[in-house]
Amino acid sequence: QVQLVESGGGSVQAGGSLRLSCAASGFAYSSSCMGWFRQAPGKEREGVARISTGGVITDYAASVKGRFTISRDNAKKTLYLQMNNLAPEDTAMYYCAARVGNYCYSGALTRADFGAWGQGTQVTVSS
C-alpha cells in the first residue's frame, strides 16, 4: 500500500525555522515526482514546492521562494521541506504528495497532478 507520513511540524515564532519530513513506502519513490502543499483555515489547498525524480529540478510558489527548500533522499525514501524565516502567513497544515511512478509536469503546481497524499503536519507561526 502507498503510504506517506509527514513529521516535523510544530509551533515557532516569526523568523524561526522548521524542517518537515515525509517518509514514503509502498511505491517506486525514486521514479515519482514529489511535492509539498499547504492549507490554511478557510483557504484552498495550495502548492508550495515540487521536486523532480532525481532531485535536480525544483519549483516553488512565489510566496515561499528564497525561504523554503525542497529536497529528497531517494536511498532513504524521504522528502524534506526546510522552512526558514517563517512568517504568520505560513501557518497551515502541510501535506506531502506523490505522482506515483511518474515524472513531474511543467507549469502550475496543481493538486490534481498528484494522486497520493499524506495525513498532514501542522505548522503554526506566531508574531
Side-chain angles (χ1 to χ4, degrees):
Q1 71 283 8
V2 173
Q3 191 168 20
L4 299 169
V5 181
E6 300 97 333
S7 62
S11 297
V12 65
Q13 290 190 333
S17 298
L18 286 172
R19 188 198 195 202
L20 307 184
S21 298
C22 172
S25 61
F27 68 100
Y29 175 79
S30 297
S31 60
S32 301
C33 171
M34 301 295 298
W36 287 98
F37 290 74
R38 67 185 182 184
Q39 188 167 19
K43 292 192 66 180
E44 292 284 321
R45 183 164 48 192
E46 64 176 349
V48 174
R50 175 176 61 201
I51 188 166
S52 63
T53 56
V56 175
I57 303 171
T58 57
D59 296 285
Y60 298 91
S63 59
V64 308
K65 193 169 187 177
R67 300 187 297 120
F68 291 11
T69 303
I70 188 171
S71 62
R72 65 191 296 162
D73 186 331
N74 284 348
K76 295 181 178 179
K77 297 183 179 180
T78 303
L79 179 73
Y80 303 98
L81 185 67
Q82 178 67 47
M83 305 186 295
N84 297 327
N85 194 24
L86 284 161
E89 294 74 28
D90 297 314
T91 295
M93 186 74 73
Y94 283 72
Y95 298 92
C96 172
R99 272 180 56 80
V100 175
N102 283 6
Y103 294 126
C104 295
Y105 281 132
S106 299
L109 184 47
T110 304
R111 60 185 176 93
D113 291 337
F114 295 83
W117 298 84
Q119 83 289 347
T121 186
Q122 179 67 38
V123 172
T124 302
V125 184
S126 59
S127 60

